[in-house]
Amino acid sequence: MSCNSLWLAAISGALAIFAGAPASASLIADGVTYTLFETSLSPTEDQFTLEITGINGPTDTEGSRYGVNSLAFTEPAPGSVVTGSMTGFAFMTGGLNAMGCDGTGNFYCFKANTKPTAPALPANSDLTFTFDLTVAQAGEFANYNPDFKIQWLGGAPGKYDLVSQTLTATVVPLPAALPLFLSGILGLGFMRRRKGA
């Protein structure tokens, strides 16, 4: 295969990956934007990424936020969640109130291992949280549109409303074009190495 063909394969693969990326659905609450992405890892395990943008920016009506102390989502079905994991947070079943994870209701909750403290995050900060979730039976993640709650801590005690709204996850499939893209990149490396020899 010629070097030009390998370049063409690599570029085609990259275009296919980006063309297959879905548009995202976001929730804006108190001037902060929340976007949730979901990728299937197995029939009973999905990975979620929550992106939060505009923290302490000009549209943030609450401001002075130190960080997230707890966040919770409704289960796909009552009792369906077996376990979850997120770096820096403890997983538990149950919901979230103004005091943090409360252990009640059809929710699962992540509580920060270390409570956020001052100083406030810089203006227009972004945070990203990635967590894996396992359910009891295959298919329970189908059409999953969780209700979402988050507990912020900051410099204005009692000011932070608990967001309690539906946050539809944007499904991000593992791209089918990834093998083509990777083979193109590997081929380029091989051709370059062979040319240099």
Side-chain angles (χ1 to χ4, degrees), residues 51 97 156-157 183 185 193:
E51 294 179 354
N97 61 28
S183 67
I185 296 296
R193 184 175 178 182

Side-chain angles (χ1 to χ4, degrees), residues 128-162:
T128 300
F129 299 98
T130 300
F131 59 96
D132 292 348
L133 199 65
T134 303
V135 291
Q137 296 177 11
E140 289 184 316
F141 284 121
N143 303 312
Y144 180 42
N145 295 309
D147 287 342
F148 165 66
K149 294 185 178 187
I150 188 166
Q151 179 197 26
W152 289 93
L153 296 182
K159 183 179 177 184
Y160 303 100
D161 295 335
L162 278 177

Side-chain angles (χ1 to χ4, degrees), residues 152-187:
W152 289 93
L153 296 182
K159 183 179 177 184
Y160 303 100
D161 295 335
L162 278 177
V163 172
S164 188
Q165 298 184 46
T166 299
L167 179 56
T168 300
T170 298
V171 176
V172 182
L174 294 174
L178 191 58
L180 176 63
F181 177 68
L182 291 176
S183 67
I185 296 296
L186 290 172

Side-chain angles (χ1 to χ4, degrees), residues 52-96:
I52 308 173
T53 59
I55 303 161
N56 295 333
T59 61
D60 185 348
T61 60
E62 296 180 337
S64 301
R65 300 172 194 262
Y66 299 163
V68 174
N69 191 50
S70 302
L71 48 94
F73 297 88
T74 50
E75 295 188 64
S80 62
V81 174
V82 175
T83 188
S85 64
M86 180 165 55
T87 302
F89 285 75
F91 169 82
M92 57 190 72
T93 55
L96 174 62

